[in-house]
Amino acid sequence: MGKHKAYNADDESEEKLTIFKEKFPKHMEDVVGKRISRREVSPIHRRLDALARLLEHDQICVAVRYDLNKKKIIISSNKIHHTSKKTNMHIKNIEKMMKLLANHKASMHKIIDKLSYVIAKNFYQEFWRELKGRSFYDIKKEVKKQLSHLFNSGQETKIWQENCLKRNTGSEASLIDRTSRLARDFIKLRKSILNLSSEKGESKAILESLRDQNFSFSRTGSSHRHAEMRQMYAFSNLTSQERKASYIGISKLSCRRCSSVTKSLGIPTRGQHGRVFKQWEAPRFFKKDPDLLEKFFGHANDIVYEDLSDREKIKAWAFIQGGEVLTSSNDLKTNMLPDSSSSDEAFGLSDASDDIDTLKVENVICANDAKTWNRKAYDRLLGEEVSPEKIVKIFQALPEKFDALGSRCVRDLLKDDSIEFDELERLFDENPVLFQFVTEDQAELISKEGFEGAVARYRKALEKLGDEDLDVNEEAERDYYSKNEQSSDESSSNESEKSSDESPPKQAASHA
């Protein structure tokens, strides 16, 4: 009799497990949902997604979030864990990209070289089967060529992409698509980091952490734990409201089980692609929290998990972690990226008309650098209706020229409608020292002889000075002007015919 009752108990437990296995996949279908529209994600959270994509390299997936308590960016990936033999290599690659994003003085050559490595690694891990024996170095070489063409084409990234796709198909088209998108990610994220003055609150805190290189890595769990799941331990002691405010940026859309966990916790991400992989490890604390388990199991909780025997509980988790029946054939066809089309929306890229992408692509990065180098000069030049493209060309040619043309002296001179900006630019190109004398106009010759007359007088004075005479200290200049500030126009004019080996540069200006 006892044996019969024991058999019935075991049989009942197995029956409950069978029902659990039927209901749990349906619950996942109902709860998880699909990818999330750009309009539902704030700009700073879209930047976290962009950051994750730029840090992925060949690590399958990367997740990033901002830790409110530690005031830093936390980075995790599928391949950075405590048992990984290649952890140091992956971390080094991430650190290089983080430094490049925050380095406003990085050369275009350095940017192209690093981006080509990132894109090639990212592309090769996904499409190596279709590459027909081409090596990673072949792909990197091709990406470098594409990036050089992109930044030198004078086209916006989308237009460049569309034009290239007309001439390419298959894996070449996919490579062009990936190159264009990650280039835009880099440009937009770098722009945000370098223009912090307009940011507030969470956005400012996140971007300051990126600018200051304030980040760390989460390595919890085995190699089977996905990038998002490595972040989960930080949320175990937070309130539901704090969790909702903790967005996790992801390089690829979450798999079905990861998305089920983040949904149960109320943590926002860009959504899921629906696929289920063989290897997956749930956070351990998640299994021990009854409230979270109830949310995670959903409809399957009609058969209470706690009512299962210990042996059936093990089988239930083996069923969930195995994942063989948690996906459909249609799910297997879905792309893990937010979108495989040419649409930027799913990648979280704004098409706002005031975006810096209205500049030609090869000028975007340099425009950010110009603003960071000397924002006042940049604003003054814009105020004189100098186009952003023109400003960028000036800065690219010589930062000192950018500073000089954006000075307050130039702004004051241009208030005179008879003086043109192009004239001042040509003057700087002729001789920067002459430009300085004219624009500062210590002898006030412009008001007396007009712009062209003043230029001629200053030029003549400089011709009578050797180059060795121009290198004098500011104290000598200051002493000279303190002694001669009361001198008359006539004596200044007469003295201009004289040449002295001890004359400071602005002495020549007063004597012109």
Side-chain angles (χ1 to χ4, degrees):
M1 189 72 176
K3 288 184 179 179
H4 181 65
K5 287 182 179 179
Y7 172 79
N8 285 341
D10 289 343
D11 191 49
E12 182 181 351
S13 185
E14 288 183 9
E15 186 178 345
K16 287 181 178 181
L17 178 61
T18 300
I19 297 173
F20 178 89
K21 288 180 178 180
E22 290 175 354
K23 290 197 170 187
F24 183 70
K26 292 179 181 178
H27 166 67
M28 291 181 71
E29 290 253 3
D30 295 341
V31 172
V32 172
K34 298 296 181 183
R35 65 197 67 195
I36 297 171
S37 167
R38 169 178 67 88
R39 296 175 182 85
E40 300 176 59
V41 182
S42 68
I44 189 58
H45 291 163
R46 296 201 297 271
R47 296 297 175 261
L48 286 178
D49 287 325
L51 176 63
R53 290 192 290 271
L54 288 167
L55 300 182
E56 183 181 290
H57 295 76
D58 61 348
Q59 298 181 73
I60 302 175
C61 185
V62 165
V64 297
R65 66 179 176 86
Y66 179 69
D67 191 306
L68 291 168
N69 296 319
K70 296 180 179 178
K71 307 296 183 186
K72 64 168 59 176
I73 300 293
I74 308 298
I75 303 168
S76 60
S77 83
N78 283 35
K79 290 191 176 183
I80 296 179
H81 51 86
H82 67 275
T83 60
S84 172
K85 294 181 180 179
K86 295 184 178 180
T87 293
N88 291 338
M89 180 188 71
H90 296 312
I91 288 177
K92 187 176 181 180
N93 283 334
I94 287 175
E95 288 174 340
K96 285 181 178 179
M97 174 52 70
M98 293 290 279
K99 287 178 181 178
L100 186 64
L101 282 166
N103 182 8
H104 71 275
K105 294 183 179 180
S107 66
M108 188 64 70
H109 171 77
K110 186 173 183 179
I111 289 170
I112 290 176
D113 188 64
K114 180 57 181 174
L115 267 182
S116 63
Y117 177 84
V118 168
I119 295 169
K121 280 283 186 183
N122 181 277
F123 186 79
Y124 192 77
Q125 72 161 341
E126 188 174 345
F127 292 96
W128 62 271
R129 292 181 183 85
E130 291 91 344
L131 295 177
K132 299 177 180 178
R134 293 172 65 188
S135 70
F136 161 74
Y137 298 101
D138 292 334
I139 301 303
K140 183 185 176 184
K141 185 176 180 181
E142 180 60 28
V143 174
K144 200 168 185 178
K145 181 179 176 183
Q146 288 181 2
L147 284 173
S148 297
H149 182 255
L150 168 62
F151 285 111
N152 291 317
S153 66
Q155 298 173 341
E156 296 179 13
T157 51
K158 296 177 192 176
I159 296 173
W160 175 86
Q161 179 182 346
E162 291 170 1
N163 290 336
C164 291
L165 289 176
K166 292 175 183 176
R167 305 187 297 271
N168 294 275
T169 58
S171 61
E172 293 300 323
S174 298
L175 185 58
I176 289 167
D177 179 71
R178 190 64 54 87
T179 298
S180 176
R181 289 177 174 185
L182 288 179
R184 283 199 297 277
D185 278 340
F186 182 85
I187 290 167
K188 287 175 178 286
L189 186 55
R190 197 162 183 265
K191 169 198 170 185
S192 298
I193 295 171
L194 296 177
N195 291 277
L196 277 167
S197 58
S198 61
E199 302 292 344
K200 297 179 181 178
E202 182 190 19
S203 296
K204 186 173 183 179
I206 290 173
L207 295 172
E208 282 180 339
S209 292
L210 291 172
R211 181 198 62 189
D212 299 337
Q213 301 289 285
N214 193 12
F215 60 91
S216 63
F217 297 89
S218 175
R219 315 183 198 200
T220 60
S222 72
S223 59
H224 295 163
R225 184 168 294 175
H226 291 190
E228 303 95 313
M229 296 302 99
R230 297 192 200 284
Q231 303 273 5
M232 291 299 104
Y233 286 85
F235 297 102
S236 59
N237 298 319
L238 299 184
T239 66
S240 59
Q241 197 62 34
E242 289 172 324
R243 290 169 182 165
K244 287 180 182 179
S246 301
Y247 184 88
I248 296 180
I250 45 180
S251 61
K252 291 185 174 74
L253 295 174
S254 295
C255 72
R256 179 161 291 191
R257 283 171 293 187
C258 286
S259 193
S260 294
V261 173
T262 56
K263 284 277 186 178
S264 301
L265 286 166
I267 300 169
T269 69
R270 280 301 296 276
Q272 61 100 16
H273 53 69
R275 298 176 70 175
V276 176
F277 304 98
K278 291 182 180 179
Q279 306 291 356
W280 185 80
E281 179 190 327
R284 291 174 186 171
F285 78 86
F286 193 78
K287 299 180 185 180
K288 300 176 182 178
D289 189 318
D291 293 335
L292 290 179
L293 280 179
E294 185 175 351
K295 293 177 182 178
F296 183 62
F297 291 147
H299 305 314
N301 207 44
D302 293 341
I303 305 300
V304 180
Y305 174 77
E306 291 300 325
D307 287 346
L308 297 175
S309 67
D310 290 342
R311 186 177 68 177
E312 302 308 324
K313 286 179 181 178
I314 293 172
K315 289 181 179 179
W317 276 106
F319 166 79
I320 293 171
Q321 296 194 172
E324 289 84 355
V325 296
L326 297 180
T327 187
S328 68
S329 58
N330 287 333
D331 290 326
L332 293 175
K333 297 176 183 178
T334 61
N335 196 295
M336 291 181 289
L337 295 175
D339 202 324
S340 59
S341 71
S342 60
S343 168
D344 291 327
E345 179 176 316
F347 268 78
L349 302 180
S350 171
D351 294 322
S353 59
D354 61 346
D355 197 284
I356 200 166
D357 271 355
T358 55
L359 284 173
K360 294 182 188 246
V361 176
E362 75 273 19
N363 294 334
V364 172
I365 295 172
C366 194
N368 285 322
D369 293 349
K371 288 181 181 179
T372 305
W373 177 275
N374 190 335
R375 185 59 188 254
K376 289 184 178 180
Y378 188 92
D379 290 341
R380 287 188 191 116
L381 288 169
L382 278 181
E384 298 301 331
E385 299 184 356
V386 181
S387 71
E389 290 85 354
K390 176 80 168 176
I391 296 172
V392 165
K393 287 180 180 178
I394 293 171
F395 182 75
Q396 284 177 317
L398 189 67
E400 289 78 6
K401 179 178 178 181
F402 166 79
D403 289 338
L405 290 171
S407 67
R408 185 179 298 174
C409 293
V410 168
R411 182 198 62 185
D412 294 341
L413 272 182
L414 292 175
K415 291 177 181 178
D416 183 344
D417 293 336
S418 65
I419 301 174
E420 299 290 338
F421 180 82
D422 289 345
E423 290 180 285
L424 295 176
E425 184 180 8
R426 286 193 293 270
L427 189 61
F428 184 94
D429 292 339
E430 176 189 340
N431 188 330
V433 177
L434 174 61
F435 172 90
Q436 180 185 354
F437 284 6
V438 172
T439 54
E440 293 183 2
D441 193 23
Q442 296 284 351
E444 299 182 354
L445 294 179
I446 294 176
S447 62
K448 301 168 187 174
E449 303 186 16
F451 180 74
E452 292 184 1
V455 170
R457 292 285 297 277
Y458 283 119
R459 184 183 289 117
K460 185 177 180 180
L462 278 176
E463 287 173 354
K464 294 186 176 182
L465 291 174
D467 290 340
E468 67 274 12
D469 301 313
L470 300 181
D471 186 17
V472 294
N473 57 51
E474 292 182 5
E475 186 177 355
E477 291 183 56
R478 198 162 48 247
D479 289 342
Y480 175 82
Y481 285 114
S482 65
K483 294 175 183 177
N484 294 279
E485 59 182 346
Q486 302 297 328
S487 49
S488 66
D489 292 339
E490 181 179 354
S491 62
S492 294
S493 177
N494 291 336
E495 300 237 356
S496 69
E497 307 296 5
K498 301 177 183 179
S499 174
S500 171
D501 290 339
E502 280 108 60
S503 297
K506 290 186 180 177
Q507 178 179 341
S510 292
H511 289 183

